[in-house]
Amino acid sequence: MNLNSHLVQRLLRLPPPLTRDLTIERDLRVPMRDGAVLLADRWAPRSGGDGLPTALIRAPYGRAGLTADPMARPLAERGFQVLIQSTRGTFGSEGPFDPLRREREDGLDTLDWVIRQPWFGESMILYGSSYLGFVQWAVADAVPPQVKAMIPGVSESALTLDFLRGDAFSLETPFVWGVQVAGQERPLAMARQLLRVKKVQRALRTLPLAEADTAALGHHDDYLQNILAHDAGSPFWQGLDHRHRVPDIRVPVSSVGGWYDIFLPGQLRDHRALQDAGHPLARLTVGPWAHISAGVGQTAAAEALDFGLALARGEQPAERAPVRLYVMGEEKWRDFPSWPPPGYEPRRFHLQPDGAPPTSRSSTTRGTRRRCSSPSADRAVRRVRTSSRRRGWRRPGPRRRSG
């Protein structure tokens, strides 16, 4: 009995597989144009795997454990062969790990390598969430015709840049992620990350901020220094901003997002760019989820096996509205022809005093000064003011609950 297979099936709410008997070819060497070699593992059914549609997953988080089993296994058991590759500078792949920067060149080189392999059939899809979705956006306008679909989850085409806006700099997410990947290949990395959560939070309050990475890691880190030195408009980030490529994408796209996800604004922007460019087959699904909610993985896997596999086999996926949204409060899924949904105008809501529901009209006293709605909100405002005077970056407030 394959316990991992059964656990993944239950976690992702999938139907029984075609097979649970898989074979894994490890450490396949994939050459890049500059001579670097990236490592990949190929998952396939032990019998009849050659020629099946290929699902390509490119990840900086390794090719085993929590990366591989929940992503590669369910697809390899249900009609795909799967190639999962470690991106440059991670888990045995050569070169330095410069987050986000080389994913277009390396991704295109990997695609060219895959279609030349004797086990490759006639088609493939691109699959994965977060960083694993960004690598899809990085190449999507230039993929070979063998790529039949892409399924990016909780991701967008300019992954870090929304946090680095000059008018609304947000340090916590890229800083915590940078600390995570800087130590992810050390022994017991996951346990170390859990044990140093408080240390990382203290590091975020380090002044000057240029020393925050040293406070968290014990040394400077290039990525963490770069996010402090260059805001979103800097030419420094030009090579990893792929927003301008989105209107030229023609491969079918099924994006999966969450209302509480950190990348949702960019994901909605990308879908609208596809829509406005007259993309022939672009889907968007947004559920009541945060970045790592189980619903994201369940829906992305379902899209890979329904939408992606059908297209890879030369078939049409089941008909569905282009936009499917979970309506909060109503607690129902609803289908729409586009984003934003037609007939709904944008509205700006303003917080009201004494905990009253937000309205479309602001309630102000003494000019632009607003009274907070609760003692806890008063305390939060005082902390913001104190933090501003000390030039700190911590953002107080309640944590959002994962969906």
Side-chain angles (χ1 to χ4, degrees), residues 78-123:
R78 292 170 174 81
F80 284 102
Q81 53 182 324
V82 180
L83 189 77
I84 180 167
Q85 181 190 62
S86 290
T87 56
R88 180 178 292 253
T90 67
F91 293 90
S93 289
E94 295 176 356
F97 179 44
D98 188 356
L100 310 167
R101 189 166 297 279
R102 292 277 314 190
E103 304 308 348
R104 181 171 176 84
E105 295 84 353
D106 290 353
L108 292 174
D109 290 350
T110 300
L111 290 170
D112 288 343
W113 179 86
V114 169
I115 63 179
R116 296 197 306 268
Q117 301 312 298
W119 42 260
F120 180 71
E122 298 179 349
S123 62

Side-chain angles (χ1 to χ4, degrees), residues 94-166:
E94 295 176 356
F97 179 44
D98 188 356
L100 310 167
R101 189 166 297 279
R102 292 277 314 190
E103 304 308 348
R104 181 171 176 84
E105 295 84 353
D106 290 353
L108 292 174
D109 290 350
T110 300
L111 290 170
D112 288 343
W113 179 86
V114 169
I115 63 179
R116 296 197 306 268
Q117 301 312 298
W119 42 260
F120 180 71
E122 298 179 349
S123 62
M124 76 172 91
I125 69 166
L126 311 181
Y127 178 63
S129 296
S130 195
Y131 195 110
L132 289 64
F134 170 80
V135 302
Q136 300 174 51
W137 290 112
V139 301
D141 67 316
V143 295
Q146 290 89 344
V147 176
K148 303 302 183 182
M150 55 184 279
I151 296 94
V154 289
S155 189
E156 50 126 330
S157 59
L159 203 63
T160 295
L161 300 188
D162 269 349
F163 302 114
L164 308 184
R165 290 168 44 186

